[in-house]
């Protein structure tokens, strides 16, 4: 099916997307390959085939973090989750189990149930960090929250879960890049 889709330009098989989602849930890890498969699937099967809300997906399916162009909620929530995880790691450098280990699948599928708890935890972690780092992360969270003009979704579709994961992946890459630039500077 996959070879046929590649050769003919037809939609990718839905099992491709489903299997990647299953792997992400099991491993709680999004790498470049999984992100690329999610993007390719959504671009081919949603953007090219459906045209409905295609512009929203186009905005979030870029190669790198989309800071200002999109206010699409699943993407923003994925980014916010990555920032909250980074805050937790800064507050507790030797932590064994992060919010990603405990809450990633729930945050991705049912944000309304999980995000109030995560925001509360993030505020406690920010207080623990203190100083300039706390201000930096607080500004980042405020910027992400400023574009959220609706309540958290009770459930997200499988496509929106993929967008959440892309947002998380993009923000993680940006946070890692910034740290790398600081280390080299």
């Amino acid at each position: 099916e996959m070879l046929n889709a590649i050769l003919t330009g037809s939609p990718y098989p839905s099992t491709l997307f489903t299997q990647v989602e299953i792997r992400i849930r099991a491993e709680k890890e999004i790498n470049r390959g999984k992100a690329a498969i999610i993007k390719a699937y959504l671009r081919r099967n949603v953007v090219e085939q459906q045209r409905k809300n295609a512009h929203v997906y186009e905005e979030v399916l870029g190669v790198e973090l989309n800071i200002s162009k999109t206010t699409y909620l699943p993407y923003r929530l994925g980014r916010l989750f990555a920032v909250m995880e980074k805050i937790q790691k800064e507050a507790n450098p030797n932590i064994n189990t992060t919010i990603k280990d405990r809450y990633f699948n729930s945050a991705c599928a049912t944000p309304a149930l999980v995000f109030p708890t995560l925001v509360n935890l993030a505020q406690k972690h920010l207080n623990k960090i203190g100083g300039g780092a706390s201000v930096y992360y607080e500004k980042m969270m405020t910027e992400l929250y400023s574009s959220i003009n609706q309540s958290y979704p009770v459930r997200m579709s499988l496509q929106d879960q993929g967008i959440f994961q892309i947002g998380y992946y993009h923000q993680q890459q940006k946070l890692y890049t910034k740290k790398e630039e600081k280390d080299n500077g």
Side-chain angles (χ1 to χ4, degrees):
E1 287 180 65
M2 187 66 186
L3 180 60
N4 184 41
I6 291 169
L7 295 175
T8 64
S10 62
Y12 291 132
S14 60
T15 54
L16 172 69
F17 187 70
T18 305
Q19 290 300 315
V20 169
E21 289 294 318
I22 289 170
R23 294 302 322 151
I24 289 171
R25 289 185 194 293
E27 297 170 357
K28 296 180 180 81
E29 186 66 39
I30 302 173
N31 58 28
R32 183 178 298 188
K34 291 174 191 164
I37 291 171
I38 291 170
K39 288 179 194 180
Y41 178 87
L42 291 173
R43 187 169 300 282
R44 168 90 48 103
N45 292 37
V46 177
V47 175
E48 292 179 11
Q49 301 296 322
Q50 294 180 3
R51 298 285 183 222
K52 180 183 177 189
N53 294 328
H55 67 284
V56 173
Y57 288 107
E58 291 264 353
E59 293 174 353
V60 298
L61 294 176
V63 176
E64 57 188 27
L65 180 65
N66 183 338
I67 294 175
S68 60
K69 288 184 183 178
T70 187
T71 58
Y72 193 54
L73 186 58
Y75 187 77
R76 287 284 178 155
L77 291 176
R79 290 185 57 204
L80 184 59
F81 190 89
V83 170
M84 287 191 263
E85 181 186 22
K86 179 69 172 166
I87 291 169
Q88 182 188 33
K89 287 180 180 178
E90 289 284 325
N92 304 302
N94 298 323
I95 194 166
N96 291 331
T97 305
T98 66
I99 62 170
K100 182 175 147 191
D101 299 320
R102 292 180 189 240
Y103 296 107
F104 187 79
N105 291 338
S106 302
C108 187
T110 57
L113 297 175
V114 177
F115 267 89
T117 302
L118 294 176
V119 171
N120 186 26
L121 286 172
Q123 291 304 319
K124 290 176 182 174
H125 291 132
L126 282 170
N127 291 338
K128 189 174 180 181
I129 294 172
S134 177
V135 172
Y136 171 75
Y137 291 120
E138 182 70 38
K139 283 183 180 179
M140 197 178 293
M141 284 182 58
T142 302
E143 183 269 324
L144 288 167
Y145 269 119
S146 68
S147 66
I148 296 175
N149 55 8
Q150 57 191 355
S151 60
Y152 300 121
V154 175
R155 293 205 172 273
M156 285 205 283
S157 70
L158 203 53
Q159 291 173 349
D160 283 344
Q161 289 177 41
I163 297 297
F164 176 96
Q165 293 159 350
I166 295 297
Y168 172 83
Y169 176 77
H170 282 167
Q171 188 67 52
Q172 283 288 83
Q173 294 303 307
K174 185 70 170 180
L175 290 168
Y176 177 76
T177 301
K178 286 217 179 243
K179 178 163 178 40
E180 191 175 85
E181 288 172 1
K182 286 179 190 173
D183 291 345
N184 290 337

